[in-house]
Amino acid sequence: MTSHQNTQTMKPATAAKKLGVYLEATPAEFQEGVVTRAELNALQADPPSWLSDLRRDGPHPRPVVAAKLGVSIAGLHRGGVTEPLTTERIEALKQERPEWLEREQAVQADVRKEAARVKKLHADRAEHAERD
């Protein structure tokens, strides 16, 4: 009996998500093929110029846009941002500071504070339980 290793592959959309890039902005050969785990690792370790350019300039997918603006993906939607944005447009929004962006950043800050409070509460309870 021989054993042979199957090569793990993923759809281009999955690979683009793992790389943090907007699929529709990637080269056609990337969009039309499949990506192996080894190819993904190689792209991450030594990104080609198209990948470096996309990561730097965009257009960026929603999770990246949200992170760069300090808001949630839902906050982007509430703010009317439904399309991918370039780095230039993200920086412009940061400078313009529209009302929706300030509101959503405040909401996100509150969410982070609450998450930290709950995490500390759980840690304190676990520490207290260990002592008992």
Side-chain angles (χ1 to χ4, degrees), residues 16-84:
K17 185 175 182 178
K18 289 181 181 289
L19 293 169
V21 295
Y22 183 57
L23 177 63
E24 285 75 12
T26 62
E29 59 271 10
F30 181 86
Q31 293 180 38
E32 296 164 0
V34 294
V35 180
T36 66
R37 173 63 62 187
E39 289 169 336
L40 179 69
N41 291 340
L43 287 169
Q44 290 172 324
D46 187 22
S49 61
W50 65 264
L51 181 54
S52 296
D53 292 347
L54 275 178
R55 286 177 167 169
R56 183 184 59 247
D57 303 326
H60 302 287
R62 284 180 306 203
V64 174
V65 173
K68 286 179 179 277
L69 289 174
V71 300
S72 66
I73 294 173
L76 283 178
H77 187 71
R78 287 189 294 268
V81 177
T82 57
E83 72 283 347

Side-chain angles (χ1 to χ4, degrees), residues 52-118:
S52 296
D53 292 347
L54 275 178
R55 286 177 167 169
R56 183 184 59 247
D57 303 326
H60 302 287
R62 284 180 306 203
V64 174
V65 173
K68 286 179 179 277
L69 289 174
V71 300
S72 66
I73 294 173
L76 283 178
H77 187 71
R78 287 189 294 268
V81 177
T82 57
E83 72 283 347
L85 299 180
T86 62
T87 300
E88 183 179 344
R89 182 63 187 127
I90 291 167
E91 292 304 317
L93 278 171
K94 287 179 178 179
Q95 294 298 315
E96 294 165 12
R97 308 248 348 121
E99 183 182 321
W100 72 265
L101 180 57
E102 290 190 12
R103 182 178 57 249
E104 292 301 332
Q105 286 174 332
V107 167
Q108 194 67 9
D110 289 344
V111 167
R112 286 188 194 109
K113 284 180 196 170
E114 180 62 10
R117 184 191 71 79
V118 169

